[in-house]
Coordinates of all heavy atoms in Angstrom, one line a residue:
D93 N 0.2 15.9 1.9 CA 0.3 14.9 2.9 C 1.6 14.0 2.7 O 2.0 13.8 1.6 CB -0.9 13.9 2.9 CG -2.1 14.6 3.4 OD1 -2.0 15.7 4.0 OD2 -3.2 14.1 3.1
C94 N 2.1 13.5 3.8 CA 3.4 12.8 3.8 C 3.2 11.4 4.4 O 2.6 11.3 5.5 CB 4.5 13.6 4.5 SG 6.1 12.8 4.5
H95 N 3.7 10.4 3.8 CA 3.7 9.0 4.3 C 5.1 8.7 4.5 O 6.0 8.8 3.6 CB 3.0 8.1 3.3 CG 1.6 8.4 3.0 ND1 0.6 8.1 3.7 CD2 1.1 9.2 1.9 CE1 -0.5 8.6 3.2 NE2 -0.2 9.2 2.1
I96 N 5.5 8.2 5.7 CA 6.8 7.9 6.1 C 7.0 6.4 6.3 O 6.3 5.8 7.1 CB 7.3 8.7 7.3 CG1 7.2 10.2 7.0 CG2 8.6 8.3 7.8 CD1 7.5 11.1 8.2
L97 N 8.1 5.9 5.7 CA 8.5 4.5 5.9 C 10.0 4.6 6.3 O 10.8 5.2 5.6 CB 8.4 3.7 4.6 CG 9.1 2.3 4.7 CD1 8.3 1.4 5.7 CD2 9.1 1.7 3.3
G98 N 10.3 4.1 7.5 CA 11.7 4.3 8.0 C 12.0 3.4 9.1 O 11.2 2.5 9.5
F99 N 13.2 3.5 9.7 CA 13.6 2.7 10.8 C 13.9 3.6 12.0 O 14.8 4.5 11.8 CB 14.9 1.9 10.4 CG 15.3 0.9 11.4 CD1 14.8 -0.4 11.3 CD2 16.2 1.2 12.4 CE1 15.2 -1.4 12.2 CE2 16.6 0.3 13.3 CZ 16.0 -1.0 13.2
G100 N 13.3 3.4 13.1 CA 13.5 4.3 14.2 C 12.9 5.7 13.9 O 13.5 6.7 14.3
V101 N 11.8 5.8 13.2 CA 11.3 7.0 12.7 C 11.0 8.0 13.8 O 11.1 9.2 13.6 CB 10.0 6.8 11.8 CG1 9.4 8.0 11.4 CG2 10.4 5.9 10.7
S102 N 10.5 7.6 14.9 CA 10.1 8.5 16.0 C 11.3 9.4 16.4 O 11.1 10.6 16.7 CB 9.5 7.8 17.2 OG 10.5 6.9 17.7
E103 N 12.5 8.9 16.4 CA 13.7 9.7 16.8 C 13.9 10.7 15.7 O 14.2 11.9 16.0 CB 14.9 8.8 17.0 CG 14.7 7.8 18.1 CD 15.2 6.4 17.8 OE1 16.0 6.2 16.9 OE2 14.6 5.5 18.4
D104 N 13.8 10.3 14.5 CA 14.0 11.3 13.4 C 12.9 12.4 13.4 O 13.2 13.6 13.2 CB 14.0 10.6 12.0 CG 15.1 9.6 11.9 OD1 16.2 9.9 12.5 OD2 15.0 8.7 11.1
L105 N 11.7 12.0 13.6 CA 10.6 13.0 13.7 C 10.8 14.0 14.8 O 10.5 15.2 14.6 CB 9.2 12.3 13.8 CG 8.8 11.6 12.6 CD1 7.4 10.9 12.8 CD2 8.6 12.5 11.4
A106 N 11.3 13.6 15.9 CA 11.6 14.5 17.0 C 12.6 15.5 16.6 O 12.5 16.7 17.0 CB 12.0 13.7 18.3
K107 N 13.6 15.1 15.9 CA 14.6 16.0 15.4 C 14.0 17.0 14.3 O 14.3 18.2 14.3 CB 15.8 15.3 14.8 CG 16.6 14.6 15.9 CD 17.7 13.7 15.3 CE 18.4 12.9 16.3 NZ 19.4 11.9 15.7
L108 N 13.2 16.4 13.4 CA 12.6 17.3 12.4 C 11.7 18.3 13.0 O 11.6 19.4 12.4 CB 11.8 16.4 11.4 CG 12.7 15.5 10.4 CD1 11.8 14.6 9.7 CD2 13.5 16.4 9.5
Q109 N 11.1 18.0 14.1 CA 10.2 19.0 14.7 C 10.9 20.2 15.2 O 10.3 21.3 15.4 CB 9.3 18.4 15.8 CG 8.3 17.5 15.3 CD 7.5 16.9 16.4 OE1 8.0 16.5 17.4 NE2 6.2 16.8 16.2
L110 N 12.2 20.1 15.4 CA 13.0 21.3 15.8 C 13.3 22.3 14.7 O 13.7 23.4 14.9 CB 14.3 20.8 16.4 CG 14.2 19.9 17.6 CD1 15.6 19.3 18.1 CD2 13.5 20.6 18.8
L111 N 13.1 21.8 13.4 CA 13.3 22.7 12.3 C 12.2 23.8 12.2 O 11.1 23.5 12.3 CB 13.4 21.9 11.0 CG 14.5 20.8 10.9 CD1 14.3 20.1 9.6 CD2 15.8 21.5 10.9
D112 N 12.6 25.0 11.9 CA 11.7 26.1 11.7 C 10.8 25.8 10.4 O 11.3 25.3 9.4 CB 12.4 27.4 11.4 CG 13.0 27.9 12.7 OD1 12.5 27.6 13.8 OD2 14.0 28.7 12.6
G113 N 9.5 25.9 10.6 CA 8.6 25.8 9.5 C 8.2 24.4 9.1 O 7.5 24.1 8.1
W114 N 8.5 23.4 9.9 CA 8.2 22.0 9.6 C 7.4 21.5 10.8 O 7.9 21.4 11.9 CB 9.4 21.2 9.4 CG 9.0 19.9 8.6 CD1 8.9 19.8 7.3 CD2 8.8 18.6 9.2 NE1 8.6 18.5 6.9 CE2 8.5 17.7 8.1 CE3 8.7 18.1 10.4 CZ2 8.2 16.4 8.2 CZ3 8.4 16.7 10.6 CH2 8.2 15.9 9.5
S115 N 6.2 21.1 10.6 CA 5.3 20.6 11.6 C 4.9 19.2 11.3 O 4.2 19.0 10.3 CB 4.1 21.5 11.9 OG 3.2 20.8 12.7
C116 N 5.3 18.2 12.1 CA 4.9 16.8 11.8 C 3.4 16.6 11.9 O 2.8 15.9 11.1 CB 5.5 15.9 12.8 SG 7.3 15.8 12.7
A117 N 2.8 17.3 12.8 CA 1.3 17.2 13.0 C 0.5 17.5 11.7 O -0.5 17.0 11.5 CB 0.9 18.0 14.2
T118 N 1.0 18.5 11.0 CA 0.2 18.9 9.8 C 0.6 18.3 8.5 O -0.1 18.4 7.5 CB 0.3 20.5 9.7 OG1 1.6 20.8 9.5 CG2 -0.3 21.1 10.9
T119 N 1.8 17.6 8.5 CA 2.2 17.1 7.2 C 2.3 15.6 7.1 O 2.1 15.0 6.0 CB 3.6 17.6 6.9 OG1 4.5 17.2 7.9 CG2 3.6 19.1 6.7
V120 N 2.5 14.9 8.2 CA 2.6 13.4 8.2 C 1.2 12.8 8.3 O 0.5 13.0 9.3 CB 3.5 12.9 9.3 CG1 3.6 11.4 9.3 CG2 4.9 13.5 9.2
R121 N 0.9 12.0 7.3 CA -0.4 11.3 7.3 C -0.3 9.9 7.9 O -1.2 9.4 8.6 CB -0.9 11.2 5.9 CG -2.2 10.4 5.8 CD -2.8 10.6 4.5 NE -4.2 11.0 4.8 CZ -5.0 11.4 3.9 NH1 -4.7 11.5 2.7 NH2 -6.2 11.7 4.2
S122 N 0.8 9.2 7.6 CA 1.0 7.8 8.2 C 2.4 7.5 8.3 O 3.3 8.0 7.6 CB 0.3 6.8 7.3 OG 0.9 6.7 6.0
I123 N 2.7 6.6 9.3 CA 4.1 6.3 9.6 C 4.2 4.7 9.7 O 3.4 4.1 10.4 CB 4.6 6.9 10.9 CG1 4.6 8.4 10.8 CG2 6.0 6.4 11.3 CD1 4.9 9.1 12.1
C124 N 5.1 4.1 9.0 CA 5.4 2.7 9.2 C 6.9 2.6 9.7 O 7.8 2.9 8.9 CB 5.2 2.0 7.9 SG 5.6 0.2 8.1
D125 N 7.1 2.2 10.9 CA 8.4 2.1 11.5 C 8.9 0.7 11.4 O 8.3 -0.2 12.0 CB 8.4 2.6 12.9 CG 9.8 2.8 13.5 OD1 10.7 2.1 13.1 OD2 9.9 3.7 14.4
L126 N 9.9 0.5 10.6 CA 10.4 -0.9 10.3 C 11.1 -1.5 11.6 O 11.2 -2.7 11.7 CB 11.3 -0.9 9.2 CG 10.7 -0.6 7.8 CD1 11.7 -0.6 6.7 CD2 9.6 -1.6 7.5
R127 N 11.5 -0.6 12.5 CA 12.1 -1.1 13.8 C 11.0 -1.9 14.5 O 11.2 -3.0 15.0 CB 12.6 0.0 14.6 CG 13.0 -0.5 16.0 CD 13.6 0.6 16.8 NE 15.0 0.8 16.3 CZ 15.7 1.8 16.7 NH1 15.3 2.6 17.6 NH2 16.9 2.0 16.2
N128 N 9.8 -1.4 14.5 CA 8.7 -2.1 15.2 C 8.3 -3.4 14.5 O 8.0 -4.4 15.1 CB 7.4 -1.2 15.2 CG 7.7 0.1 16.0 OD1 8.5 0.1 16.9 ND2 6.9 1.1 15.8
A129 N 8.3 -3.4 13.1 CA 8.1 -4.6 12.4 C 9.1 -5.6 12.6 O 8.8 -6.8 12.8 CB 8.0 -4.2 10.9
C130 N 10.4 -5.3 12.7 CA 11.4 -6.2 13.0 C 11.3 -6.8 14.4 O 11.5 -8.0 14.6 CB 12.8 -5.6 12.9 SG 13.3 -5.1 11.2
S131 N 10.9 -6.0 15.3 CA 10.7 -6.4 16.7 C 9.6 -7.4 16.8 O 9.6 -8.3 17.6 CB 10.5 -5.2 17.6 OG 10.5 -5.5 18.9
R132 N 8.5 -7.1 16.1 CA 7.4 -8.1 16.1 C 7.7 -9.4 15.5 O 7.3 -10.4 15.9 CB 6.1 -7.5 15.4 CG 5.4 -6.4 16.3 CD 4.1 -6.0 15.7 NE 4.2 -5.5 14.3 CZ 4.4 -4.2 14.0 NH1 4.5 -3.3 15.0 NH2 4.4 -3.8 12.8
A133 N 8.5 -9.3 14.4 CA 8.9 -10.6 13.7 C 9.9 -11.4 14.5 O 9.9 -12.6 14.5 CB 9.5 -10.2 12.3
L134 N 10.8 -10.7 15.3 CA 11.8 -11.4 16.1 C 12.1 -10.6 17.3 O 12.9 -9.7 17.3 CB 13.1 -11.6 15.2 CG 14.2 -12.4 15.9 CD1 13.7 -13.9 16.1 CD2 15.4 -12.4 15.0
P135 N 11.3 -10.8 18.4 CA 11.4 -9.9 19.6 C 12.8 -9.7 20.1 O 13.1 -8.7 20.7 CB 10.5 -10.6 20.6 CG 9.5 -11.3 19.7 CD 10.3 -11.8 18.5
T136 N 13.6 -10.7 20.0 CA 15.0 -10.6 20.6 C 15.8 -9.6 19.8 O 16.9 -9.2 20.2 CB 15.7 -12.0 20.6 OG1 15.8 -12.5 19.2 CG2 15.0 -13.0 21.5
A137 N 15.4 -9.3 18.6 CA 16.2 -8.3 17.7 C 15.7 -6.9 17.9 O 16.2 -6.0 17.2 CB 16.1 -8.8 16.3
G138 N 14.8 -6.6 18.8 CA 14.1 -5.3 18.9 C 15.1 -4.2 19.2 O 14.8 -3.0 18.9
K139 N 16.2 -4.5 19.9 CA 17.1 -3.4 20.2 C 18.2 -3.2 19.2 O 19.0 -2.3 19.4 CB 17.7 -3.7 21.6 CG 16.7 -3.8 22.7 CD 16.1 -2.5 23.1 CE 15.2 -2.7 24.2 NZ 14.3 -1.6 24.4
E140 N 18.3 -4.0 18.2 CA 19.3 -3.9 17.2 C 19.1 -2.7 16.3 O 18.0 -2.3 16.0 CB 19.4 -5.1 16.3 CG 19.8 -6.3 17.1 CD 19.8 -7.6 16.2 OE1 19.4 -7.5 15.0 OE2 20.3 -8.6 16.7
G141 N 20.2 -2.1 15.8 CA 20.1 -0.9 14.9 C 19.8 -1.3 13.5 O 19.7 -2.5 13.1
L142 N 19.7 -0.3 12.6 CA 19.4 -0.5 11.2 C 20.4 -1.4 10.5 O 20.1 -2.3 9.8 CB 19.3 0.8 10.5 CG 19.1 0.8 9.0 CD1 17.8 0.0 8.7 CD2 19.0 2.2 8.4
D143 N 21.7 -1.2 10.7 CA 22.8 -2.0 10.1 C 22.6 -3.5 10.5 O 22.6 -4.4 9.6 CB 24.2 -1.5 10.4 CG 25.2 -2.3 9.7 OD1 25.1 -2.5 8.5 OD2 26.2 -2.7 10.4
S144 N 22.4 -3.8 11.7 CA 22.2 -5.2 12.2 C 21.0 -5.8 11.6 O 21.0 -6.9 11.2 CB 22.2 -5.2 13.7 OG 23.4 -4.8 14.3
Q145 N 19.9 -5.0 11.6 CA 18.7 -5.5 11.0 C 18.8 -5.8 9.5 O 18.3 -6.8 9.0 CB 17.5 -4.6 11.3 CG 17.1 -4.5 12.7 CD 16.5 -5.7 13.3 OE1 16.3 -6.7 12.6 NE2 16.1 -5.7 14.6
M146 N 19.5 -4.9 8.8 CA 19.7 -5.1 7.4 C 20.5 -6.4 7.1 O 20.1 -7.2 6.2 CB 20.4 -3.9 6.7 CG 19.5 -2.7 6.5 SD 20.3 -1.4 5.6 CE 20.9 -2.1 4.1
R147 N 21.5 -6.6 7.9 CA 22.3 -7.8 7.7 C 21.5 -9.1 8.0 O 21.6 -10.1 7.3 CB 23.6 -7.8 8.6 CG 24.7 -7.0 8.0 CD 25.9 -7.0 8.8 NE 25.8 -6.1 9.9 CZ 26.1 -6.4 11.2 NH1 26.7 -7.5 11.5 NH2 26.0 -5.5 12.1
R148 N 20.7 -9.0 9.1 CA 19.9 -10.1 9.5 C 18.8 -10.5 8.4 O 18.7 -11.6 8.1 CB 19.1 -9.8 10.8 CG 18.1 -10.9 11.2 CD 17.3 -10.5 12.5 NE 18.1 -10.2 13.6 CZ 18.7 -11.1 14.4 NH1 18.6 -12.3 14.1 NH2 19.4 -10.7 15.4
W149 N 18.1 -9.5 7.9 CA 17.0 -9.8 7.0 C 17.4 -9.8 5.5 O 16.7 -10.4 4.7 CB 15.9 -8.8 7.2 CG 15.4 -8.8 8.6 CD1 15.6 -7.9 9.6 CD2 14.5 -9.8 9.2 NE1 15.0 -8.3 10.8 CE2 14.3 -9.5 10.6 CE3 13.9 -11.0 8.7 CZ2 13.5 -10.2 11.4 CZ3 13.1 -11.7 9.6 CH2 12.9 -11.3 10.9
T150 N 18.4 -9.1 5.1 CA 18.8 -9.0 3.7 C 20.2 -9.5 3.4 O 20.5 -9.8 2.2 CB 18.7 -7.6 3.2 OG1 19.7 -6.8 3.7 CG2 17.3 -7.0 3.5
G151 N 21.0 -9.6 4.4 CA 22.4 -9.9 4.1 C 23.3 -8.8 3.7 O 24.5 -8.9 3.5
F152 N 22.7 -7.6 3.5 CA 23.5 -6.4 3.1 C 23.9 -5.6 4.3 O 23.2 -5.6 5.4 CB 22.6 -5.5 2.2 CG 22.4 -6.1 0.9 CD1 21.1 -6.7 0.6 CD2 23.4 -6.2 -0.1 CE1 20.9 -7.3 -0.6 CE2 23.1 -6.8 -1.3 CZ 21.9 -7.3 -1.6
R153 N 24.9 -4.8 4.2 CA 25.4 -3.9 5.3 C 25.1 -2.5 4.9 O 25.2 -2.1 3.7 CB 26.9 -4.1 5.5 CG 27.2 -5.4 6.0 CD 28.5 -5.4 6.7 NE 28.4 -4.5 7.8 CZ 29.1 -4.5 8.9 NH1 30.0 -5.4 9.0 NH2 28.9 -3.7 9.9
L154 N 24.9 -1.6 5.8 CA 24.7 -0.2 5.6 C 26.0 0.5 5.7 O 26.7 0.3 6.7 CB 23.7 0.4 6.7 CG 23.5 1.9 6.7 CD1 22.8 2.2 5.3 CD2 22.6 2.3 7.8
D155 N 26.4 1.2 4.7 CA 27.7 1.9 4.7 C 27.6 3.1 5.6 O 26.8 4.0 5.3 CB 28.0 2.3 3.3 CG 29.3 3.1 3.2 OD1 30.0 3.3 4.2 OD2 29.7 3.5 2.1
K156 N 28.3 3.1 6.7 CA 28.3 4.2 7.7 C 29.4 5.2 7.6 O 29.6 6.0 8.4 CB 28.3 3.6 9.1 CG 27.1 2.7 9.5 CD 25.9 3.6 9.8 CE 24.9 2.9 10.7 NZ 23.9 3.8 11.2
S157 N 30.1 5.1 6.4 CA 31.3 5.9 6.3 C 31.0 7.4 6.3 O 31.9 8.2 6.7 CB 32.1 5.6 5.0 OG 31.2 5.8 3.9
E158 N 29.8 7.9 6.0 CA 29.5 9.3 6.0 C 28.8 9.7 7.3 O 28.5 10.9 7.5 CB 28.6 9.6 4.9 CG 29.2 9.5 3.5 CD 30.3 10.6 3.3 OE1 30.4 11.5 4.1 OE2 31.1 10.4 2.4
Q159 N 28.6 8.8 8.3 CA 27.9 9.1 9.5 C 28.5 10.3 10.2 O 27.8 11.2 10.7 CB 27.9 7.9 10.4 CG 27.0 8.1 11.6 CD 26.9 6.8 12.4 OE1 27.8 6.0 12.4 NE2 25.9 6.7 13.2
C160 N 29.8 10.4 10.3 CA 30.4 11.5 11.1 C 31.1 12.5 10.2 O 31.9 13.3 10.6 CB 31.5 10.9 12.0 SG 30.8 9.8 13.3
S161 N 30.6 12.6 8.9 CA 31.2 13.6 8.0 C 30.6 15.0 8.4 O 29.7 15.1 9.3 CB 30.8 13.3 6.6 OG 29.4 13.3 6.4
D162 N 31.1 16.0 7.9 CA 30.6 17.4 8.2 C 29.4 17.7 7.4 O 29.4 18.1 6.3 CB 31.7 18.4 7.9 CG 31.4 19.8 8.4 OD1 30.3 20.0 8.8 OD2 32.3 20.6 8.4
W163 N 28.2 17.6 8.1 CA 26.9 17.7 7.5 C 26.5 19.2 7.4 O 25.5 19.6 6.7 CB 25.8 17.0 8.3 CG 26.0 15.5 8.1 CD1 26.8 14.7 8.9 CD2 25.5 14.7 7.1 NE1 26.8 13.4 8.4 CE2 25.9 13.4 7.3 CE3 24.6 14.9 6.0 CZ2 25.6 12.3 6.5 CZ3 24.2 13.9 5.2 CH2 24.7 12.6 5.4
A164 N 27.3 20.1 8.0 CA 27.0 21.5 7.9 C 27.6 22.1 6.5 O 27.1 23.2 6.1 CB 27.7 22.3 9.0
V165 N 28.5 21.5 5.9 CA 29.1 21.9 4.6 C 28.1 21.7 3.5 O 27.6 20.6 3.4 CB 30.4 21.2 4.4 CG1 31.0 21.6 3.0 CG2 31.4 21.6 5.4
R166 N 27.9 22.8 2.7 CA 27.0 22.6 1.6 C 27.7 22.9 0.3 O 28.6 23.7 0.3 CB 25.8 23.6 1.7 CG 24.8 23.3 2.9 CD 24.2 22.0 2.6 NE 23.1 21.7 3.6 CZ 23.2 21.0 4.7 NH1 24.3 20.5 5.0 NH2 22.2 20.8 5.4
P167 N 27.4 22.3 -0.8 CA 26.4 21.3 -0.9 C 26.9 20.0 -0.3 O 28.1 19.7 -0.2 CB 26.2 21.2 -2.4 CG 27.5 21.6 -3.0 CD 28.1 22.6 -2.1
L168 N 25.9 19.1 0.0 CA 26.2 17.8 0.5 C 26.8 17.0 -0.7 O 26.4 17.2 -1.8 CB 25.0 17.1 1.0 CG 24.3 17.7 2.2 CD1 23.0 16.9 2.5 CD2 25.2 17.7 3.4
S169 N 27.7 16.1 -0.4 CA 28.3 15.2 -1.4 C 27.3 14.2 -1.8 O 26.3 13.9 -1.1 CB 29.6 14.6 -0.9 OG 29.3 13.6 0.1
R170 N 27.5 13.6 -2.9 CA 26.6 12.5 -3.4 C 26.7 11.3 -2.4 O 25.6 10.7 -2.1 CB 27.1 11.9 -4.7 CG 26.7 12.9 -5.9 CD 27.2 12.3 -7.2 NE 27.0 13.2 -8.2 CZ 26.1 13.0 -9.3 NH1 25.5 11.9 -9.3 NH2 26.0 13.9 -10.2
S171 N 27.8 11.1 -1.8 CA 28.0 10.0 -0.8 C 27.1 10.3 0.4 O 26.5 9.4 1.0 CB 29.4 9.9 -0.5 OG 29.6 8.8 0.5
Q172 N 27.1 11.6 0.9 CA 26.3 12.0 2.0 C 24.8 11.8 1.7 O 24.1 11.3 2.6 CB 26.6 13.4 2.4 CG 27.9 13.6 3.1 CD 28.2 15.1 3.4 OE1 28.1 15.9 2.4 NE2 28.5 15.4 4.6
I173 N 24.4 12.2 0.6 CA 23.0 12.1 0.2 C 22.6 10.6 0.1 O 21.5 10.3 0.6 CB 22.8 12.8 -1.2 CG1 22.9 14.3 -1.0 CG2 21.4 12.5 -1.7 CD1 23.0 15.1 -2.3
R174 N 23.4 9.8 -0.4 CA 23.1 8.3 -0.5 C 23.0 7.8 1.0 O 22.1 7.0 1.3 CB 24.2 7.6 -1.2 CG 24.0 7.6 -2.7 CD 24.9 6.6 -3.4 NE 26.3 6.8 -3.2 CZ 27.1 7.6 -3.9 NH1 26.6 8.2 -4.9 NH2 28.4 7.7 -3.6
Y175 N 24.0 8.2 1.8 CA 23.9 7.7 3.2 C 22.6 8.2 3.9 O 22.0 7.4 4.6 CB 25.1 8.2 4.0 CG 25.0 8.0 5.5 CD1 25.3 6.7 6.0 CD2 24.6 9.0 6.4 CE1 25.1 6.4 7.3 CE2 24.4 8.7 7.7 CZ 24.7 7.4 8.2 OH 24.5 7.2 9.5
A176 N 22.3 9.5 3.7 CA 21.1 10.0 4.4 C 19.8 9.3 3.9 O 18.9 9.0 4.7 CB 21.0 11.5 4.1
A177 N 19.8 9.0 2.6 CA 18.6 8.3 2.1 C 18.5 6.8 2.6 O 17.5 6.3 2.9 CB 18.7 8.2 0.6
A178 N 19.7 6.2 2.8 CA 19.7 4.8 3.3 C 19.5 4.8 4.8 O 18.8 3.8 5.3 CB 21.0 4.1 3.0
D179 N 19.9 5.8 5.5 CA 19.9 5.8 7.0 C 18.5 6.4 7.4 O 18.0 6.1 8.4 CB 21.0 6.5 7.6 CG 21.1 6.4 9.1 OD1 21.2 5.2 9.6 OD2 21.1 7.4 9.8

């Protein structure tokens, strides 16, 4: 069973469902979407992305330098893995 904590998780799950051999319905037990939590805490911030929300609530910025890197090249770099984990 898988428990997911993330930001904008529904969009990620929709992409994951396109992968061969991975079914959200059979593996995901619970989901906590922090985008929804942020929206409930401050409704005017509901449309903001992860970087904006991180700055608002923690004062930290999300490093987006790897966002447009070549994700098809293997192995992924340490920087790409850190970005993927944070994003």
Side-chain angles (χ1 to χ4, degrees):
D93 290 344
C94 181
H95 303 276
I96 297 177
L97 171 67
F99 188 90
V101 176
S102 60
E103 296 135 27
D104 293 333
L105 288 177
K107 292 175 186 173
L108 286 171
Q109 285 180 320
L110 299 175
L111 298 174
D112 289 333
W114 200 84
S115 171
C116 295
T118 60
T119 59
V120 176
R121 175 167 234 174
S122 64
I123 299 172
C124 179
D125 192 330
L126 294 175
R127 175 176 285 173
N128 298 337
C130 290
S131 187
R132 283 191 301 273
L134 187 63
T136 58
K139 300 291 183 194
E140 293 178 355
L142 177 57
D143 182 49
S144 296
Q145 293 291 0
M146 281 183 60
R147 278 186 281 136
R148 175 185 303 282
W149 300 104
T150 69
F152 292 104
R153 295 204 61 156
L154 179 63
D155 179 2
K156 294 282 204 173
S157 60
E158 292 293 347
Q159 185 176 27
C160 294
S161 64
D162 189 349
W163 291 89
V165 174
R166 295 296 190 263
L168 296 176
S169 69
R170 286 181 187 244
S171 181
Q172 285 174 307
I173 293 168
R174 278 193 301 274
Y175 171 79
D179 189 55

